[in-house]
Structures are given as C-alpha cells and as structure tokens.
Amino acid sequence: MNIPILEMNNIVKSYPGVIALNKVSLNFFEGEVHAIVGENGAGKSTLIKVISGAVHPESGSIVYQGIEYSHLSLYEAKMKGIEVVYQEFSLIESLSVAENIFLGDKVGNFFSFKNIVAQAEVLFRKYNIDIDVRQKVSELSPAQMQLTEIVKAVSKSAKVLVLDEPSAPLSIAETNKMYEIIKEVKKNGTTIIYISHRLEEIFKISDRVTVLRDGILISTLPIIEVTRKKMIEMMVGRKVREDYPIRKIKYDDIALEVKNMSGNGVKDISFSLRKGEILGVAGLMGSGRTEMAMAIYGGAKKDKGEIFINGEKVLINSPHRAIYYGMGLIPEDRKRTGCFLEKTIQFNLSIASIRNLSNGFFVDKKREIKQSKYYSDLLNIKTPSLNQVVRNLSGGNQQKVVVGKTLGAQSRIIIFDEPTRGIDVGAKMEIYELMNQLADEGNSILMISSDLVELIGMSDRIMVLSEGKLMGELYRKDFSQTKIIDMASGNN
C-alpha cells in the first residue's frame, strides 16, 4: 500500500458565499480504504465531485496513475476506472434492476433481457443480496436501491470506488453485506474512498482517515492512531457531547391509536402513542416500518383498520387529511419526498402551512418570511439567506428544512423516519435535543431508525416489526440490541 493511485494537490473550489475546498492536498493508495469525515458543509461532497469530474476546481491539480490533470471530466473519470456511489440515487426507476446494472455496457453481440438478467443474478448471488433483478427500480425500497447502486459500481471493475454515505439507508444486516463487498474489492487492489457520519464504520473498515472542516484539510492519519473523541474534536473544532440527551419521561393521554391496520405490506398492526412520548420502531429491511408509517399518514392505501386521534376515530386517506389532523411526516428519503430541492428555504418552510399564511387568495409575505425565519433560527439552519435553494445546502441542513416544514404545519403527532440519516454528529445532537423538546412540550413522536444505538438512546418504548407484523414492544428497562435483533428476525 505504498503507491498513490490518486493525488489531489492544492485543490480550490468555491461557490457563492463559501469556499468549499481551500487548498486541499491528499493522496489515496492502491488497495486501501480511505475514509473522509467532517461535519455537513465540510467539503466532503465537493471533494468527491472533483474526483469524479462532476465539478472542476478553480486551481490545483489531480494526479491519477502518475499523470497530472488540471481536472477530469465525468467521461474521463469513468473511462479511467473511477466509480462513485452518491447519496442521491442515480438509478433509472422505470428500468429493471438488471437493466440498470448494465446500462451503457456491452453485454454480448445483441441485447438480450434474458442474458442481462442471468448476469445480474450471478452478481447479486456473489454478494448474497436477495433482490429480484427483474423488478423495476421504482418498486424497490431505499435500502434495496442502495445495494443495487453498490453492486452496479463494483461490477465495473473500478480502480477507485467512492462511496458517499453508503450505509445511510441500510440496516445492520445489509451494512454487513456491504462490508463484505468492500473487503472483496479491496483484496483485488481497488481503492475505496469512504464517506460516512457513522464513526463506528470508519474504525471498522478504514486504513486511513482524512478530516475536513470548513473546506480545510485538518489532518490525515492512520486509523490506528485516532480515537473517536479525537476524531470528533478535529471534525467540529470543539468538544461535543456524544451521549443522548436525558429527559424526564412524563406520559399523558393517548394521542394516536392504531387498531388492526393492514395494507401496504403490513398485517394487523395495533399500537398506541401517548402525548409526550417517543416511540421507537425497529426492524430489518423489508420489515414494513416505512410502509406502516405511510399507511398511517395516508400516503398508501389501507385495506382495513382504524385510526384514532385524541380518542376520536378519523379517516386519513391522504397526507392532506393527516396534516389536517395535526400529523406530520419527516420521510426517510428527504431528497425525493421530503423537500423541494429546487425551491428556496423560505418556500419549503412555509409550503405545508400556506393556507394559514394566506389572506383569501393571496399569501401574506410578511407572515411567510416571519415564520420561515423563526424555524430557520430555531433549527439553526446554516445559510446566507432564506432565498438559498435547498439543493445547495448540506445534508444536515436539508434535514432541518424538512423538520421545519413539518413543524410549521403545527403538527402534534410527528413521524420521524430515519431522522439522522446522512448527517454529522453535531447536527445529530441538535435533532435529538429538538425531538426531546418536542416531546417535553406534549407532542408525540414515532421514530423509525435502522440505528439501534440511536433507538435505544432516544426511545421511551420500542416496537419491533418483522415481515409486516408487530413482534412486540420493549420498555426502556428491557432495551438491548440482542433482544431487538432477535425480535426483528421473527422471534417473539
């Protein structure tokens, strides 16, 4: 591991109002897993876009396989063996899994769907991934999409494989499968550049780690020389609490009750959620957690069952009705379903409550700006202006926009689906403290998470799903990762 396959020399890249990368220099060796860490907005995404040719630096150079370039184009990077799995899915949803895997590749002399299906099945079997490759991507869960993206990237025999938050939508079992893929391609000499906010992953699979902060390279070190505490302090430039914020649990009346609900992949689900409670939802991929949330919220059809809010039976057959009854959803895929990426922060923070901000047919702009500024300040959204387009924000700030949009609609029952996916340790603490504050104010929170440590740290109770069925509930005194995994595997 002593031959740099890729070097970045004094890379500078700026956007309006911010220097994303400020004279960043680092190298990557053949056959290593090199982690890149930093808070949201540290420059990680810009760095990998420079590597992939998606953006061109203003100055500096790139040395790849001994040849110096001022920049690479997307085509050049791909042809030279650089593959990137971004946070945003790049699959074509109208095509099958198999067609996406081999899109743009020559597979035989003539196109044969049967042929590409057979080859795709070989790939998925090799990595022990159970996905029907004939299935359209639009029918996959986010976790299945992510695994498909990873298999697609490694199928190209990449020399450099960049993985940007690859485990974010994955459960423990799927993450372990991803580790096996990384181990296999590393053994073949591929360089893996690994970006993640889950620090335990960094220590598990990395050889070296580079820390970025505010576009500046703070340090590159062998992973064996770094402690978790030291890494976090380098990332944020200050000491940060990592424990979960403590609060006194004060149960109140039942806010939400679901009785015998079936449909959208779940079967005969019954549970209650009290005012002031954080109820965690655990389960493996395909367990029905998100499907249950969508059925409750009116985003998917229910075949049977009843929903009661504050003791009153209600009909929720659309998200509009859910919002009417004071229910909000922060979805697991914030980019696709949580916010309007091409719209401004102000638009996003006010859209869900636009009727309350209107005088007849017209929006009261003063009230809209006031509300948007209130939630922007409350959630500490880092932006030069409320007119900033949401796509330009970091992942953590995008998540805060989704939360603000939901709070702006005066939601009292809030479903958080993977609330801290893809956000840094500092932003996570802010989200946790906000959730506790909401619960302390008498709001009810249903929290779905693939992170068992997070569930155990934040929940008052945890309900566990397996294959669409409720396997049971655990109270805080009975919490344990082993018990949750056992129940999620179908044992109760």
Side-chain angles (χ1 to χ4, degrees):
M1 199 181 72
N2 56 6
I3 304 172
I5 187 173
L6 174 66
E7 297 176 71
M8 317 286 285
N9 297 318
N10 294 309
I11 297 295
V12 175
K13 177 62 183 176
S14 61
Y15 298 100
V18 61
I19 300 175
L21 295 173
N22 191 355
K23 296 184 178 179
V24 169
S25 297
L26 72 162
N27 55 29
F28 304 92
F29 294 115
E30 291 183 353
E32 77 164 333
V33 178
H34 190 133
I36 309 289
V37 300
E39 289 192 284
N40 292 112
K44 305 183 301 294
S45 293
T46 302
L47 179 68
I48 63 174
K49 286 176 181 176
V50 170
I51 292 170
S52 71
V55 301
H56 296 171
E58 290 149 27
S59 63
S61 65
I62 300 166
V63 179
Y64 183 69
Q65 293 184 309
I67 302 173
E68 187 172 18
Y69 304 86
S70 61
H71 64 269
L72 294 172
S73 69
L74 280 167
Y75 177 78
E76 284 175 325
K78 201 166 187 65
M79 289 301 99
K80 293 178 186 300
I82 298 174
E83 290 288 336
V84 182
V85 177
Y86 290 105
Q87 288 186 55
E88 301 89 355
F89 298 126
S90 62
L91 302 172
I92 298 176
E93 296 192 3
S94 59
L95 298 181
S96 69
V97 170
E99 288 169 316
N100 271 277
I101 294 294
F102 296 110
L103 190 65
D105 294 350
K106 185 178 180 181
V107 186
N109 293 324
F110 301 99
F111 174 79
S112 166
F113 184 70
K114 183 178 179 181
N115 185 25
I116 65 170
V117 164
Q119 293 193 46
E121 285 177 338
V122 169
L123 277 171
F124 279 79
R125 278 198 302 270
K126 177 181 178 180
Y127 297 116
N128 195 28
I129 297 171
D130 184 20
I131 292 176
D132 181 358
V133 299
R134 297 173 181 82
Q135 197 173 7
K136 285 191 175 181
V137 166
S138 59
E139 299 168 357
L140 301 181
S141 69
Q144 290 172 318
M145 288 185 187
Q146 185 73 316
L147 289 172
T148 300
E149 290 270 24
I150 293 170
V151 171
K152 177 180 179 180
V154 300
S155 74
K156 312 300 182 186
S157 301
K159 292 182 175 65
V160 174
L161 175 61
V162 183
L163 300 174
D164 187 5
E165 298 289 349
S167 68
L170 304 181
S171 67
I172 292 174
E174 291 100 48
T175 299
N176 287 332
K177 289 180 181 179
M178 181 191 68
Y179 291 157
E180 289 302 313
I181 295 174
I182 290 172
K183 185 177 178 181
E184 180 73 19
V185 298
K186 177 185 175 181
K187 188 169 63 178
N188 295 331
T190 299
T191 300
I192 297 101
I193 301 174
Y194 194 90
I195 294 93
S196 179
H197 289 300
R198 294 179 175 176
L199 300 189
E200 65 276 7
E201 297 178 357
I202 304 301
F203 287 98
K204 186 180 181 74
I205 66 171
S206 302
D207 299 303
R208 291 193 298 157
V209 59
T210 291
V211 180
L212 295 176
R213 185 171 74 235
D214 298 329
I216 297 170
L217 192 150
I218 302 301
S219 185
T220 296
L221 293 167
I223 197 68
I224 58 172
E225 296 181 9
V226 186
T227 64
R228 185 182 179 93
K229 181 180 178 183
K230 181 178 179 181
M231 187 184 295
I232 292 171
E233 288 181 0
M234 285 193 296
M235 285 168 56
V236 302
R238 64 186 188 279
K239 292 186 177 181
V240 175
R241 281 180 51 201
E242 264 210 288
D243 54 330
Y244 290 87
I246 298 171
R247 68 184 184 91
K248 292 181 180 178
I249 301 170
K250 295 180 287 186
Y251 290 138
D252 207 331
D253 296 336
I254 292 174
L256 170 69
E257 187 171 12
V258 176
K259 290 185 177 181
N260 307 114
M261 185 182 76
S262 295
N264 197 37
V266 297
K267 307 158 193 171
D268 201 30
I269 298 285
S270 296
F271 70 91
S272 61
L273 172 62
R274 293 185 175 276
K275 296 176 182 177
E277 182 180 29
I278 298 176
L279 173 59
V281 184
L284 304 176
M285 184 175 76
S287 62
R289 297 167 301 169
T290 295
E291 289 79 3
M292 178 191 73
M294 291 303 293
I296 294 170
Y297 190 65
K301 184 182 177 183
K302 293 179 282 290
D303 296 332
K304 69 166 190 173
E306 299 174 315
I307 295 178
F308 296 81
I309 293 182
N310 297 324
E312 177 188 351
K313 184 177 178 180
V314 298
L315 175 64
I316 298 179
N317 53 12
S318 70
H320 175 76
R321 295 294 293 171
I323 294 170
Y324 174 81
Y325 285 112
M327 188 182 296
L329 171 68
I330 291 142
E332 65 172 332
D333 190 342
R334 61 176 175 261
K335 292 179 183 292
R336 295 173 68 213
T337 56
C339 57
F340 297 91
L341 289 174
E342 305 304 333
K343 297 291 186 179
T344 64
I345 296 170
Q346 180 173 309
F347 177 91
N348 276 273
L349 290 177
S350 61
I351 187 63
S353 52
I354 204 72
R355 287 192 175 184
N356 298 331
L357 298 172
S358 300
N359 296 323
F361 294 104
F362 302 99
V363 176
D364 187 328
K365 283 295 179 184
K366 287 185 179 179
R367 289 175 60 200
E368 181 186 13
I369 293 169
K370 183 178 179 180
Q371 174 174 300
S372 300
K373 187 175 187 312
Y374 172 78
Y375 285 109
S376 179
D377 292 344
L378 176 71
L379 298 170
N380 192 26
I381 297 172
K382 295 177 183 176
T383 176
S385 165
L386 291 174
N387 292 319
Q388 178 70 271
V389 174
V390 171
R391 181 178 291 281
N392 295 335
L393 300 179
S394 67
N397 285 302
Q398 287 178 353
Q399 184 74 328
K400 290 177 185 179
V401 169
V402 180
V403 173
K405 176 167 70 73
T406 303
L407 297 181
Q410 304 301 308
S411 303
R412 299 287 289 173
I413 300 168
I414 307 171
I415 303 171
F416 284 81
D417 195 352
E418 303 290 357
T420 63
R421 173 177 293 170
I423 64 176
D424 63 70
V425 64
K428 278 185 181 182
M429 286 304 301
E430 291 179 353
I431 295 292
Y432 295 151
E433 288 168 355
L434 172 67
M435 291 172 69
N436 277 352
Q437 180 185 334
L438 290 169
D440 289 343
E441 292 171 355
N443 298 289
S444 306
I445 294 175
L446 190 68
M447 176 185 177
I448 300 167
S449 179
S450 299
D451 187 336
L452 294 187
V453 175
E454 177 176 83
L455 276 178
I456 289 170
M458 288 299 298
S459 304
D460 303 321
R461 281 186 298 145
I462 296 175
M463 52 189 280
V464 185
L465 271 62
S466 176
E467 296 182 350
K469 297 179 181 177
L470 178 60
M471 303 307 295
E473 295 180 354
L474 295 172
Y475 287 85
R476 183 173 283 277
K477 63 182 178 64
D478 301 316
F479 287 175
S480 84
Q481 291 194 42
T482 302
K483 181 62 176 173
I484 293 169
I485 292 171
D486 191 42
M487 293 170 69
S489 300
N491 299 318
N492 61 356

